[in-house]
Amino acid sequence: MLYLFGKMPSDSKKKREQKKKEAAKNRGNKKPQNAETNGATNGVSEENGVDDDRCNDVVTDIKEEIEALDIADKHRSVTGVLVSHPDSRDVHINNLAITFHGAVLLQDTKLELNVGRRYGLIGLNGCGKSTLLRALELKEVPIPDHVDIYHLRREMPPSDKTALQAVFEVDQEQSHERLLDIYEHLDEMDADKAEMKASFILHGLGFTKEMQQTKVKNFSGGWRMRIALARALYIKPSLLLLDEPTNHLDLNACVWLEQELKEYKRILVVISHSQDFLNGVCTNIIHFHLQRLKLYGGNYDAYVQTRMELEENQMKRYKWEQDQISHMKTLTFYFPSCGTLPPPVIMVQHVSYKYADDKNYNKYIFKT
Ligand SMILES: Nc1ncnc2c1ncn2[C@@H]1O[C@H](COP(=O)(O)OP(=O)(O)OP(=O)(O)O)[C@@H](O)[C@H]1O
């Protein structure tokens, strides 16, 4: 969805970019901090203060993104029928169809999500994977109320909370929406343990103790993405939707995340370009292809193997059918060329006819 901005920067954004350039110039061409290019600060801006302009820009970008999403939401139409039991934690939707900006992305297909399964959603660029996740997030398909959903799409907005607070307070933000597994969750959310759990997750994603106490607004976008991911892992929703979660992670964090997600006991749907990640995490693959969703058992490698075998079998069947057809053709006609016939080809002599109407048709007479 971010690509909307990449492709079509709004006038206000262009103006802000211009203002930013001018501000940087006035500060003596001092470039803003950037975690991805500045290993020394490890994603954290300078000690002596946050670049407020940059912070405001990020907040405005996020607001714009939300506005664009709201607009996009109005151009999507989704239909489907819940066929799993309304009290079930599994979600099965039949006759699923999605139209976006007038284009059919899915039609008359099935989506089956079962608890304990981790689905890799794959398909060509632009086929509609992110749109499907967004439709699930907003429950535009009939997903029961008790199934709580968390969709990780973008980084945590800058704020004065520390990274640690941003993670363990997410449950308070979400709690009014959550009904499922309440007792189990309350146990997990024991106040003493809450901070420890948040700290464990952040540590796994590369945050030192010091970084965990740093304000969110002091982190670069990539690290704020990790905070958002930590929040998702912390609340453990019934249905967790992740769109390219490894994009901002280094190898260690990727390995840690893979291990963490392998233990995910609820439903996970993940879009990822990383085959290794899909292999490590997924129990199933959903292939978004030709406006349908096709479910495969196993990880990405198993999916590739199954598809290869299916294609081989199809080819074998096609060849067999062609053989059958050619064996059924037992008669062969051969028409030798007769050359040019000398005239006259047909000669009719002494012929006349008499008109007869319908009633007297039988009396139609040829006279020769
Ligand atoms: N504002 C828009 N107007 C018209 N079409 C749009 C708009 N935004 C997105 N689309 C189209 O909707 C389709 C679905 O986009 P979506 O982002 O869901 O695909 P995707 O499979 O997630 O792609 P990718 O793998 O590149 O992220 C794409 O073909 C895209 O071109």
Side-chain angles (χ1 to χ4, degrees):
M1 294 297 175
L2 272 171
Y3 106 111
L4 277 170
F5 301 109
K7 295 219 163 169
M8 299 178 285
S10 64
D11 287 348
S12 59
K13 183 164 183 180
K14 280 184 201 155
K15 277 182 201 156
R16 275 202 325 284
E17 291 294 332
Q18 186 56 33
K19 255 174 75 180
K20 255 196 289 182
K21 277 184 198 159
E22 282 165 14
K25 216 171 162 186
N26 293 340
R27 289 195 300 266
N29 285 333
K30 191 172 133 194
K31 285 187 181 166
Q33 295 286 312
N34 181 330
E36 283 77 21
T37 55
N38 188 348
T41 52
N42 209 9
V44 184
S45 298
E46 288 175 319
E47 279 296 312
N48 58 355
V50 183
D51 181 337
D52 281 341
D53 279 353
R54 191 161 64 92
C55 235
N56 291 338
D57 283 344
V58 173
V59 172
T60 315
D61 278 353
I62 291 173
K63 274 186 191 159
E64 276 196 12
E65 190 194 337
I66 291 168
E67 278 166 21
L69 263 182
D70 285 346
I71 294 169
D73 289 343
K74 293 190 180 104
H75 290 91
R76 187 175 50 248
S77 114
V78 184
T79 53
V81 181
L82 181 76
V83 288
S84 46
H85 193 281
D87 294 338
S88 168
R89 294 165 68 194
D90 297 335
V91 176
H92 295 185
I93 308 285
N94 274 8
N95 304 110
L96 176 60
I98 300 185
T99 309
F100 189 40
H101 285 280
V104 177
L105 300 182
L106 281 178
Q107 59 174 326
D108 192 21
T109 195
K110 270 188 199 174
L111 176 67
E112 289 193 358
L113 302 174
N114 292 321
V115 172
R117 299 270 148 194
R118 303 180 296 277
Y119 300 87
L121 179 59
I122 60 168
L124 293 176
N125 285 353
C127 67
K129 301 180 293 295
S130 303
T131 307
L132 172 61
L133 292 201
R134 178 69 174 162
L136 293 175
E137 175 192 354
L138 297 185
K139 296 200 176 182
E140 289 173 353
V141 278
I143 297 175
D145 288 345
H146 66 81
V147 178
D148 61 308
I149 301 175
Y150 191 98
H151 181 195
L152 177 67
R153 274 182 286 108
R154 63 162 179 274
E155 70 272 23
M156 183 73 191
S159 77
D160 283 325
K161 284 184 182 178
T162 66
L164 194 61
Q165 280 171 335
V167 177
F168 73 76
E169 285 178 12
V170 63
D171 201 57
Q172 291 160 20
E173 295 165 25
Q174 301 273 323
S175 60
H176 62 286
E177 293 169 11
R178 310 191 66 231
L179 295 167
L180 184 73
D181 287 346
I182 199 76
Y183 295 113
E184 183 194 340
H185 205 67
L186 277 175
D187 185 38
E188 286 177 6
M189 290 299 101
D190 181 320
D192 295 339
K193 291 183 196 159
E195 204 169 310
M196 235 162 62
K197 185 178 154 195
S199 174
F200 169 79
I201 296 171
L202 282 170
H203 177 73
L205 290 170
F207 289 76
T208 61
K209 284 275 171 219
E210 194 191 343
M211 288 166 76
Q212 291 178 25
Q213 296 303 335
T214 301
K215 289 179 180 173
V216 174
K217 67 180 185 182
N218 287 8
F219 287 98
S220 68
W223 285 84
R224 280 187 285 107
M225 193 68 189
R226 292 185 192 211
I227 297 173
L229 183 55
R231 283 160 62 91
L233 296 173
Y234 182 88
I235 57 170
K236 282 193 186 160
S238 313
L239 175 51
L240 176 57
L241 309 171
L242 301 178
D243 204 334
E244 296 288 2
T246 59
N247 266 0
H248 297 279
L249 305 184
D250 56 27
L251 185 62
N252 283 342
C254 276
V255 171
W256 181 86
L257 179 65
E258 194 178 305
Q259 293 307 319
E260 192 68 10
L261 291 178
K262 259 185 193 169
E263 302 296 317
Y264 205 73
K265 303 258 182 329
R266 295 165 191 175
I267 306 172
L268 169 71
V269 181
V270 59
I271 299 175
S272 176
H273 64 274
S274 164
Q275 295 175 9
D276 285 344
F277 187 74
L278 292 176
N279 275 335
V281 169
C282 297
T283 57
N284 294 79
I285 295 292
I286 300 173
H287 187 204
F288 197 133
H289 184 56
L290 299 175
Q291 302 173 341
R292 300 281 195 284
L293 300 173
K294 186 152 191 222
L295 182 67
Y296 292 83
N299 63 11
Y300 185 80
D301 280 350
Y303 151 79
V304 172
Q305 181 68 26
T306 311
R307 269 204 76 181
M308 221 166 65
E309 284 167 11
L310 279 175
E311 275 162 23
E312 263 176 31
N313 287 342
Q314 268 174 4
M315 189 48 81
K316 276 184 195 159
R317 181 158 185 88
Y318 174 77
K319 281 188 181 152
W320 179 82
E321 280 172 3
Q322 292 304 308
D323 280 354
Q324 292 296 105
I325 290 166
S326 63
H327 279 110
M328 282 185 325
K329 288 178 188 164
T330 51
L331 287 176
T332 312
F333 294 96
Y334 173 64
F335 298 98
S337 165
C338 60
T340 313
L341 290 178
V345 178
I346 298 176
M347 190 165 71
V348 181
Q349 288 180 320
H350 310 300
V351 174
S352 65
Y353 81 93
K354 185 178 174 184
Y355 170 79
D357 58 22
D358 282 351
K359 284 181 193 159
N360 297 315
Y361 189 75
N362 291 336
K363 293 176 191 165
Y364 193 89
I365 297 167
F366 278 99
K367 274 191 173 179
T368 59

